[in-house]
């Protein structure tokens, strides 16, 4: 019985929604017809005359106050709408309309896909969108103590967000801890230290762990957060390497004795790879680039399966610094594969190499006259491919947008990845003569090749819509996040801006020229109501004058 009642109510609601959606015009004309019929008993004409007399007695000061108040209110709405749009990327009025009014008016909620679409192609696209919006560890991330903290001391700004640091804490717990840490006092202290939010408490815990034993992870924490220079960090990482290699050899011999030993060996492997990679980065920062390249190559040969650290991106940057372009091409041939996840470093480095072959002689005027050669076409296509993957990078390379320190985590195809790439690779583009000029002349042509709206891509998957939200969490508040595709101003911001300007102009004109504005207002209203008066006269001439009396008799 209850199910039947519920079904009846749902059917009734659907009928009402359908009628409101499709028959509102009929209802509107019916209401107009009823108002016309009932104009005599409702005394509509008398009321209109009274209102007209009241309006005629009002002074120009009233109209000035009315238009001024309207301008003030619309201006406040405009300011709120603009603030909400800059902070959340959408219009508040539009969001409320879509969320609350649209369901009442019979709109369909597109955010809830049907079962059939979820089981079909939409599920694949959703999975792809989630995978592309995954946050990755920045392979070129800076040192907190020696670089990020020094920036804070100089500028007073925090370059890292809480969300970014929280992700780093989760990474440290994943890579540097295991289930058997409680069996060793020093590792147990470090297990708690990686969960600690206060930097000073983490550093104190690392010193406490070193008093008990030579703990590799304690040296890592001190090198990352306490060392104020790269030289100090390198010394601590060398001490960590000595302790880490001993733990790695011991766990390697016992890894097949059980699941706990295997987990400990996996942890020791992660610690050793992390230390060697950071030592190579220290050598690169201190100018010993060839030594850094050798360390990275040895590390990639020793642990070829640990691709999660993306050591090849560190290697690419160091090889570009040495201008070893043949070696760069060899690395790209291995990692620029269709089965591997792309990155801005891969795509833009490939574009740089192809641009290098033609950029020194490239001239847009000559190219427009004779057309592009094969090599120039290959370079332009490589730039278009890179820009489609991450459209935020060119503005940083062309210095149209200011750079900030890169975050510890990046979102592929997002603004955070663009900042991380341009921060380290801008110097390599400047070193190649004419490369930035070629990029400047050709990068915007990419957007003519990408279908719009971004329902499907050209060379890659469609650009994910979640990048703006994730980048706002990863990047500091003083940085203006780059948004793609560029959002147009919502209709209600434009409407309130026009309304505010129009009412303010009316208030000013009414204050300065009250008599002239009065004449103009009467002429405007008479013109506005002229069609209605014409229709009413025609209706009165057609319908009998005693229609209301006949209806009352019925």
């Amino acid at each position: 019985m209850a199910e039947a009642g519920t079904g009846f109510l749902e059917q009734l609601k659907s009928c009402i929604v359908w009628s409101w959606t499709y028959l509102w015009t009929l209802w509107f004309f019916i209401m107009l017809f009823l108002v016309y019929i009932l104009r005599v008993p409702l005394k509509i004409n008398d009321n209109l005359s009274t209102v007209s007399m009241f309006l005629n007695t009002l002074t120009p000061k009233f109209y000035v106050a009315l238009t001024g108040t309207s301008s003030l209110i619309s201006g406040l709405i405009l300011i709120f709408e603009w603030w909400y749009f800059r902070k959340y990327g959408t219009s508040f009025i539009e969001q409320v309309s879509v969320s609350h009014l649209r369901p009442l008016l019979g709109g369909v909620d597109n955010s809830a896909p049907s079962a059939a679409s979820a089981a079909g192609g939409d599920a694949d696209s959703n999975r792809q969108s989630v995978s592309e919006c995954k946050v990755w560890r920045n392979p070129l991330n800076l040192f907190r103590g020696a670089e990020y903290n020094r920036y804070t001391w100089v500028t007073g700004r925090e370059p890292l967000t809480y969300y970014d640091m929280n992700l780093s804490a989760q990474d440290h717990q994943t890579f540097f801890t295991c289930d058997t840490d409680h069996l060793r006092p020093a590792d147990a202290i470090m297990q708690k230290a990686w969960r600690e939010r206060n930097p000073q408490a983490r550093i104190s815990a690392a010193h406490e762990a070193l008093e008990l034993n030579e703990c590799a992870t304690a040296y890592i924490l001190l090198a990352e957060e306490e060392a104020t220079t790269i030289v100090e960090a390198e010394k601590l990482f060398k001490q960590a390497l000595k302790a880490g290699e001993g733990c790695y050899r011991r766990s390697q011999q016992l890894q097949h004795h059980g699941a706990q030993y295997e987990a400990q060996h996996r942890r020791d492997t992660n610690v050793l790879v992390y230390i060697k990679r950071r030592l190579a980065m220290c050598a690169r920062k201190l100018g010993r680039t060839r030594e850094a390249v050798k360390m990275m190559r040895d590390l990639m040969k020793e642990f070829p399966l640990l691709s999660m650290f993306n050591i090849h991106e560190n290697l690419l940057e160091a090889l570009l610094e040495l201008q070893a372009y043949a070696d760069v091409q060899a690395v790209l041939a291995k990692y620029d594969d269709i089965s591997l996840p792309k990155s801005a470093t891969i795509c833009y480095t490939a574009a740089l190499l192809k641009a290098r072959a033609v950029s020194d002689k490239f001239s847009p005027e000559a190219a427009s006259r004779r057309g592009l050669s094969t090599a120039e076409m290959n370079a332009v296509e490589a730039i278009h491919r890179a820009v489609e993957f991450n459209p935020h990078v060119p503005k940083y390379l062309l210095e149209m947008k200011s750079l900030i320190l890169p975050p510890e985590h990046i979102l592929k195809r997002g603004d955070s990845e663009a900042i991380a790439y341009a921060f380290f690779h801008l110097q390599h583009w400047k070193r190649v003569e004419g490369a930035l000029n070629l990029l400047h002349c050709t990068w915007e042509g990419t957007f003519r090749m990408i279908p719009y709206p971004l329902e499907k891509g050209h060379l890659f998957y469609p650009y994910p819509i979640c990048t703006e939200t994730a980048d706002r969490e990863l990047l500091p508040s003083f940085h203006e996040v780059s948004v793609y595709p560029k959002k147009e101003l919502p209709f209600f911001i434009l409407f309130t801006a026009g309304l505010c300007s129009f009412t303010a102009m009316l208030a000013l004109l009414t204050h300065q020229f009250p008599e002239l504005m009065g004449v103009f207002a009467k002429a405007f209203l008479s013109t506005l109501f002229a069609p209605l008066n014409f229709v009413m006269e025609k209706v009165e001439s057609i319908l009998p004058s005693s229609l209301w009396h006949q209806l009352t008799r019925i």
Side-chain angles (χ1 to χ4, degrees):
M1 188 69 179
E3 294 180 357
T6 304
F8 175 75
L9 290 176
E10 291 294 331
Q11 188 175 6
L12 180 62
K13 182 179 178 181
S14 63
C15 292
I16 294 174
V17 169
W18 180 87
S19 63
W20 178 257
T21 305
Y22 297 101
L23 301 180
W24 64 270
T25 53
L26 181 61
W27 287 13
F28 177 74
F29 285 112
I30 291 176
M31 292 300 298
L32 286 180
F33 184 71
L34 289 176
V35 168
Y36 174 76
I37 291 176
L38 300 175
R39 69 186 188 281
V40 176
L42 294 178
K43 299 181 180 179
I44 294 178
N45 293 330
D46 297 340
N47 293 331
L48 288 176
S49 301
T50 305
V51 171
S52 178
M53 291 176 59
F54 174 74
L55 293 177
N56 290 330
T57 58
L58 294 175
T59 62
K61 293 183 178 180
F62 171 80
Y63 294 104
V64 173
L66 178 64
T67 52
T69 306
S70 303
S71 177
L72 176 63
I73 294 175
S74 56
L76 294 176
I77 296 174
L78 173 63
I79 293 172
F80 175 77
E81 277 282 299
W82 177 256
W83 169 82
Y84 195 89
F85 174 74
R86 291 297 297 261
K87 186 172 183 179
Y88 300 104
T90 185
S91 166
F92 175 78
I93 300 176
E94 183 178 344
Q95 186 178 15
V96 170
S97 302
V98 172
S99 303
H100 301 287
L101 299 181
R102 188 177 180 184
L104 297 177
L105 299 178
V108 180
D109 188 4
N110 295 326
S111 62
S114 62
S117 63
D122 288 350
D124 296 334
S125 62
N126 290 339
R127 283 195 295 270
Q128 179 63 34
S129 177
V130 170
S131 65
E132 289 204 356
C133 288
K134 174 185 175 183
V135 175
W136 299 73
R137 182 82 177 175
N138 182 6
L140 295 169
N141 65 306
L142 306 178
F143 294 85
R144 282 197 191 178
E147 292 172 305
Y148 287 120
N149 287 348
R150 291 172 69 88
Y151 176 84
T152 303
W153 297 338
V154 173
T155 64
R157 291 177 170 181
E158 290 290 341
L160 298 176
T161 63
Y162 174 77
Y163 176 69
D164 192 14
M165 292 188 289
N166 187 48
L167 290 176
S168 297
Q170 295 176 17
D171 292 339
H172 296 153
Q173 294 174 48
T174 302
F175 294 146
F176 303 151
T177 63
C178 64
D179 296 336
T180 60
D181 283 347
H182 65 278
L183 301 177
R184 297 174 296 279
D187 289 336
I189 293 175
M190 289 307 301
Q191 191 175 38
K192 295 179 181 178
W194 294 121
R195 297 192 183 100
E196 181 61 51
R197 293 184 178 180
N198 188 353
Q200 292 302 322
R202 289 196 298 269
I203 294 173
S204 300
H207 284 293
E208 184 181 351
L210 288 175
E211 292 176 359
L212 299 177
N213 193 8
E214 289 290 307
C215 181
T217 54
Y219 282 120
I220 289 176
L221 193 148
L222 294 178
E224 291 285 353
E225 301 193 19
E226 188 182 42
T228 56
T229 63
I230 301 298
V231 175
E232 294 178 15
E234 186 180 32
K235 290 180 181 178
L236 289 169
F237 273 120
K238 287 181 177 178
Q239 294 177 276
L241 178 63
K242 183 178 179 181
E245 285 179 336
C247 293
Y248 175 76
R249 285 193 295 267
R250 288 192 296 270
S251 63
Q252 190 177 27
Q253 298 173 357
L254 302 173
Q255 61 176 317
H256 301 297
H257 292 188
Q260 291 184 344
Y261 292 103
E262 185 178 355
Q264 184 176 345
H265 176 67
R266 191 183 308 114
R267 191 280 306 268
D268 292 338
T269 302
N270 292 335
V271 170
L272 185 62
V273 172
Y274 186 88
I275 294 171
K276 289 186 175 182
R277 174 173 162 270
R278 293 303 258 179
L279 277 172
M281 294 179 67
C282 288
R284 166 69 184 90
K285 292 175 183 292
L286 294 173
R288 306 195 306 270
T289 310
R290 295 188 182 279
E291 178 186 345
V293 169
K294 183 180 183 304
M295 295 172 68
M296 293 174 193
R297 289 189 185 278
D298 293 341
L299 186 58
M300 292 169 67
K301 291 179 182 178
E302 187 178 0
F303 302 98
L305 299 179
L306 291 180
S307 60
M308 57 185 173
F309 288 102
N310 291 325
I311 305 172
H312 61 277
E313 297 197 10
N314 299 82
L315 179 61
L316 285 173
E317 195 279 328
L319 290 173
L320 286 172
E321 177 64 21
L322 294 175
Q323 301 185 39
Y325 297 111
D327 294 334
V328 172
Q329 184 62 55
V331 175
L332 286 178
K334 182 178 180 181
Y335 289 96
D336 193 4
D337 186 79
I338 192 171
S339 61
L340 297 175
K342 296 292 185 294
S343 67
T345 302
I346 295 286
C347 296
Y348 278 89
T349 303
L352 176 61
L353 291 187
K354 292 188 177 181
R356 175 176 169 269
V358 298
S359 59
D360 57 336
K361 301 178 182 178
F362 178 78
S363 171
E365 294 81 8
S368 62
R369 289 196 305 268
R370 58 173 170 78
L372 295 175
S373 64
T374 303
E376 290 173 339
M377 184 65 71
N378 292 335
V380 172
E381 289 178 354
I383 290 175
H384 286 176
R385 173 178 179 262
V387 174
E388 181 181 351
F389 182 82
N390 193 318
H392 309 284
V393 173
K395 287 190 176 181
Y396 293 106
L397 292 180
L398 298 172
E399 298 182 271
M400 300 165 63
K401 207 169 186 301
S402 59
L403 275 172
I404 61 171
L405 294 185
E408 293 183 338
H409 290 80
I410 60 174
L411 182 70
K412 289 193 174 182
R413 308 186 74 178
D415 190 31
S416 52
E417 184 192 33
I419 292 171
Y421 173 79
F423 186 85
F424 293 98
H425 288 260
L426 175 59
Q427 56 180 330
H428 306 315
W429 280 81
K430 287 184 175 181
R431 189 178 292 121
V432 177
E433 183 182 357
L436 290 175
N437 178 47
L438 179 60
L439 177 68
H440 174 73
C441 295
T442 58
W443 74 279
E444 291 182 336
T446 308
F447 305 118
R448 293 192 292 269
M449 305 169 61
I450 302 176
Y452 187 85
L454 304 176
E455 297 174 354
K456 58 181 180 179
H458 179 60
L459 298 174
F460 297 98
Y461 285 101
Y463 191 81
I465 59 175
C466 60
T467 55
E468 180 185 358
T469 304
D471 279 331
R472 290 187 187 278
E473 295 288 338
L474 289 171
L475 298 172
S477 58
F478 58 82
H479 173 72
E480 183 180 355
V481 176
S482 177
V483 179
Y484 176 79
K486 193 67 176 179
K487 291 186 176 179
E488 298 179 355
L489 287 177
F491 165 75
F492 288 104
I493 289 184
L494 300 175
F495 176 76
T496 51
L499 181 63
C500 177
S501 304
F502 180 70
T503 51
M505 181 184 68
L506 284 182
L508 179 63
L509 292 176
T510 307
H511 177 70
Q512 293 292 330
F513 312 102
E515 296 181 358
L516 181 62
M517 289 301 296
V519 174
F520 175 78
K522 291 179 180 179
F524 174 76
L525 291 176
S526 61
T527 305
L528 183 65
F529 287 105
L532 181 61
N533 294 330
F534 177 78
V535 172
M536 291 182 65
E537 290 176 0
K538 290 296 182 182
V539 171
E540 288 179 352
S541 63
I542 295 173
L543 295 178
S545 59
S546 59
L547 178 62
W548 167 248
H549 299 288
Q550 295 176 7
L551 289 176
T552 53
R553 289 199 196 101
I554 296 175

